[in-house]
Structure formats: C-alpha cells, structure tokens
Amino acid sequence: MTKDVADSGSSSSLLVVGSVAFDSVETRAGKRDQVLGGAASYVSAAAGFLTPSPVRLVGVVGTDFPIEHEQRLAAHRIDLEGLERVPGRTFRWAGVYSPDFATRTTLDTQLNVFESFRPKLPPAWAASEYVFLANIDPVLQLQVLEQATRPKFVACDTMNFWIAGKRPDLLRLLQRVDMLLLNDEEARQLSGESNLPAAARAIRALGPHAVVIKRGDAGALLFHEGGVFAAPAFPIENVVDPTGAGDSFAGGFMGWLARTGNVSPQSIRTAMILGSVLASFSVEDFSLDRFSRLDLGQIRERFAAFADLVHFEKIKL
Amino acid sequence: MTKDVADSGSSSSLLVVGSVAFDSVETRAGKRDQVLGGAASYVSAAAGFLTPSPVRLVGVVGTDFPIEHEQRLAAHRIDLEGLERVPGRTFRWAGVYSPDFATRTTLDTQLNVFESFRPKLPPAWAASEYVFLANIDPVLQLQVLEQATRPKFVACDTMNFWIAGKRPDLLRLLQRVDMLLLNDEEARQLSGESNLPAAARAIRALGPHAVVIKRGDAGALLFHEGGVFAAPAFPIENVVDPTGAGDSFAGGFMGWLARTGNVSPQSIRTAMILGSVLASFSVEDFSLDRFSRLDLGQIRERFAAFADLVHFEKIKL
C-alpha cells in the first residue's frame, strides 16, 4: 500500500482509554439508576458511528458488569478485547443537574476497580494510529503512550482534579499529545489566563499544537495552526441529560480523523462539527440511549443543520 | 421611485432612540472618567459606518454636555437634530468589571436630565423606515412608535429592570416590534424558560417575529422564520472595555438593514455578523475610541475573518 493510500486510510485504527462506569443521574427530565456510562463508553460509542474499523476500548470493569452492557458496547462497533474484567465492583458515579442544567452536583464517586487500574494494550493494538486518552490520571495516560508504538494523532482530556493535583505529570503528558480537549474553566485553571484565546496560546506553548475549549451549550473553540475555529452548539430544546456530551464530542471528533486518515487543519474543523453533532444527539436521552437509535442518515442530516446554523452569505462592502 | 427601487433603497433611514451619557469605567486594562457613552451613542456610531444616510439620534443631554462630544458624534455620521439639550446634568453611569470580565458592578447611576425625557421626533424623522429603540423605559419606547408613521422594521432592546417592573408596558411594546434583542438572562427572565430555544419560542409568541439572544463572548443566537442562526463572538485576546458591546452589535445590525433595505432572513443573518463585527471592535478600547480609528476596510477584513472563523467543508457521509 502506498503512503497516500495509507493516509486516506480506510483502516485507520482508533484506540480509546478511559472509564466504563455505572452512572446514576437525575435531571429535570427524569432519573436513571446505575445505567451504562463512563467517558470511554461515550467516546467509543460516538466514534463507532464513523470509524472504518471497530473502536479499541481499553478500560476496566468489575464482575458486576452485566453481559448485556458488553453486548451493548459491542453493538456500537466497540472492540472489547482491551476491556479488563477484574474482581470487584465497577466504577460508579452519581450526580444531579440543576433544572436549568447550569450546574451539576456530584453525589457519589466510587472508583472501585478503577482504583488499581493500569492500562494494558493488547499487543495488536500497540500500533493504533489514533489515540484518545479520556479523562483519567495523567500518569495512566502516559502509561498508554509508553505502549503506543506509532500513533499518528494523540488527543487527551483532563479535569480540574488533575490540573491541581498532578500538574507535573500532566505537563509531561502535554509534551506528548497533539491535542488537548478541556472545558473553559479547566483552560483558565491550567493556564492562569481568564481570556480564552490567551489561555489557548499559553496551553499550546506547553506542547499540544491544537487546543479545543469546550463551552457546553455555547459550543467549542479550536485553536491550532489553522487559526481559530468556532463550532456552535446545536440549540436543543429538550435536553434530557448532558452527561457524556463532552466525551461524545471527543468521540465524533476522533471518529472523523480515523475515518478519513486526514489530520489537516480543514479536516480538524470538520471533526469539530462531527463532535458537536454526536454531542448534540447524546444529550437527547440518558446514558447511550440516543445512540442506540441513531444512524448515519441522522448524523448526515444534523451535519447539514450545523452548516445551516452558521451559514451567511458573502457581501460586498 | 418604484417600490423595488425603494426596497433596495439607497436612502433607507435609521432612527435610534436611547441614552447619551457620561460613563466612568474601570477594567483590568485601565480606568476612564466621564467619557462619552450611552446606548444610543454606541448604536448610532456603529450604524453610521454602514447606513446610506446619517443616523437619526433621538435623546437628551444636559448643559454640561461639551460641544466636542457633539462634534464627535456628528463625525460618526450621526444627525443630532433630535438630540435635545435641556437645563441640568447629562445622564451618568459608573461601573467596574471583574478582571476576567465575567461580572460588572454598577457603582453609580444618575438619570439626571434623562428622568424627565420624553422622546420627540423631528417632523421629518417620523417617516424613518428603520427604528431601533435602545434600552429605555418601554413607555418611552411606545411613545416613539406613536410618532413613527411608516416603520419598515422596528427592533428594541430591554433589561431586567423593565422586565420586572414594567412588564405590562413591555408586553404592549413587544406586540409592535419586529425584533427583540436581549441577553440570555433577560430572555430567561422574560419567558420563564431556562432553555434558550424554548425562551425564544415563548418570546416570539409575545409578538416579535425575530428574537436575538446575546451571550457576550459566546456570541448571539437569532431565532426567526428562517430558523436558528448562531453568530460567534470574535475571539479577542485584548479586551479593553466591554461597555457598549451589545449596543454596537445592535448598531451594526440595524446599519446593515438600513444600508441594504433588505429584511429577508438571509439579510438578517448577515446583519447578525455585521453586528458581531462592530461589537468586536467596540471592546478593543474605551468609549467610542476604537470607532474613531475604524474604517470600512477594517470592517470588511473582520467580516471575512468571521466567515473564516466558522468555515468548514461539506462532506460525504
């Protein structure tokens, strides 16, 4: 296969490392107890709509993780060879959203089997070209990169907890990733800059040549060598559950890169929109429920709706 | 003149009613004492870059308002025939912004001559086709509409104070305007809906066929018969003073409608971007200072930058 063919690659592989969990969620739209959740679940399921081959998920669950959940993940084109099952209970998270979705309160976090998790890539997965490190301890994120032999594009997420508590490890990680995704508050915390373009510039100086700042229902901003790109959020009137929206964004994003094998600035802009598309579907129901009745036709339709959402004509002035 | 020619009208007139003030402002970038401000000043100056004929400003100042300020407004292509000068002191506002610009604290408001303001249109202005009612008492906004004989497009702004204290008057006003501009918190307060698309739908049911929800550095959303349109804010690294940004947005918006004489959904989308362009310049300095060194070439350039900011390619899925 020539390099050109490989680059436009129909066989680009996507590796996702992160949590698989039981979520208990309450929103104005209702309540769900111990449903399938976790960052890696959302990222992988969203990406699975786009990737040419099944998404490689590396994570850990306990013996209480039902076979039905595994089947459900597999149905989303997720390869579970890297999902360890170890004695103990699966990671659990519980939270409640304010009626206007402006704030989320965590009621309970039980790391359980995640506490002693050490990511191990199946040998055949070491050569994965696209790697997404969901929000986990940066020490573990680095362990994944030690095992990845030829990543073409590495992106990672993080959170306030690691920015404050594991900054040296996070900084080491940032020197080795192509892109960091984080929300506006995390960007401010990491950079010490309140202005977002200034924060992005400071973060890019730490290593990642691209930074995506997620702003919830205000969309996401991409800062990279292709300039600045603003992806709107799709105005959704009936938000059911925002849990996993940022992870679904990451999944749509990475899924598009893996699908096209193209990491050019233009392709990364498109990836931002596909991320926004998958995020917009994710919030329409609890857990992965909206994804379970989603198809490529609906994704295509909403992509077109995003194009319309920001469309304006050229003018003469 | 045939109707078609009038509609594409090179002579569409824009009337702006609102406050002209002395502002005292403190931000992380510095401090200014009693500089030229007021909603009508920003709206009119921004619009003046675009309108085919001078902007008609209706407002009131006191005897302390210096001739230099009048000259400065006139230099922005503002017709001051409707700017009353009455005995007393000009409206004064003082405020301070938090270092991250997330919050603004009003330190002082002195209505002064504005307290007994009754807007009076010069007779020749009664036939103005485009009317913008900046944020003042809805009773006064209604008085302007009583005097306007053939408005083609009326837009208004409002604020939390009137939504809470003069709701019946505001509701009467809304039945007579084509478009309401307000910020996200005001939209929630007016509609009782926390979700913005739901809020916009509720507000449109009160009269205005178009609603623009301003979200500061998260851009603005337009809800109208042409669907939803998301205008990004331009990422500005060196914000100096956000005072008047929303009014500059309104000015750019109305200026475009008056320039083209076109109120189609497509034209209104373009107006949203020109509003965003003028707002993005406004925040780069105190008072109208950035406008004083702004020209059409810079506006053209930033319009192109907005197009680039949201540009992504069509894809096949």
Side-chain angles (χ1 to χ4, degrees), chain B residues 275-298:
Chain B
S276 305
V277 165
L278 271 299
S280 75
F281 283 119
S282 174
V283 303
E284 291 181 343
D285 208 338
F286 288 100
S287 184
L288 302 180
D289 292 0
R290 183 62 183 90
F291 288 166
S292 295
R293 47 179 204 280
L294 182 64
D295 60 39
L296 210 55
Q298 293 173 315

Side-chain angles (χ1 to χ4, degrees), chain A residues 64-134:
Chain A
D64 57 350
F65 195 72
I67 185 74
E68 291 75 20
H69 281 1
E70 285 197 15
Q71 288 167 343
R72 192 160 174 199
L73 292 172
H76 280 298
R77 305 186 60 250
I78 303 174
D79 186 336
L80 299 174
E81 193 191 329
L83 182 66
E84 275 185 88
R85 181 184 287 265
V86 302
R89 279 158 58 85
T90 299
F91 178 42
R92 276 166 171 75
W93 175 82
V96 56
Y97 289 85
S98 62
D100 62 359
F101 292 107
T103 57
R104 174 171 97 171
T105 307
T106 291
L107 302 175
D108 188 28
T109 305
Q110 302 175 16
L111 288 179
N112 298 333
V113 296
F114 214 80
E115 204 153 1
S116 50
F117 176 53
R118 294 295 169 269
K120 280 179 287 293
L121 272 53
W125 292 10
S128 299
E129 291 172 284
Y130 296 87
V131 177
F132 186 75
L133 308 168

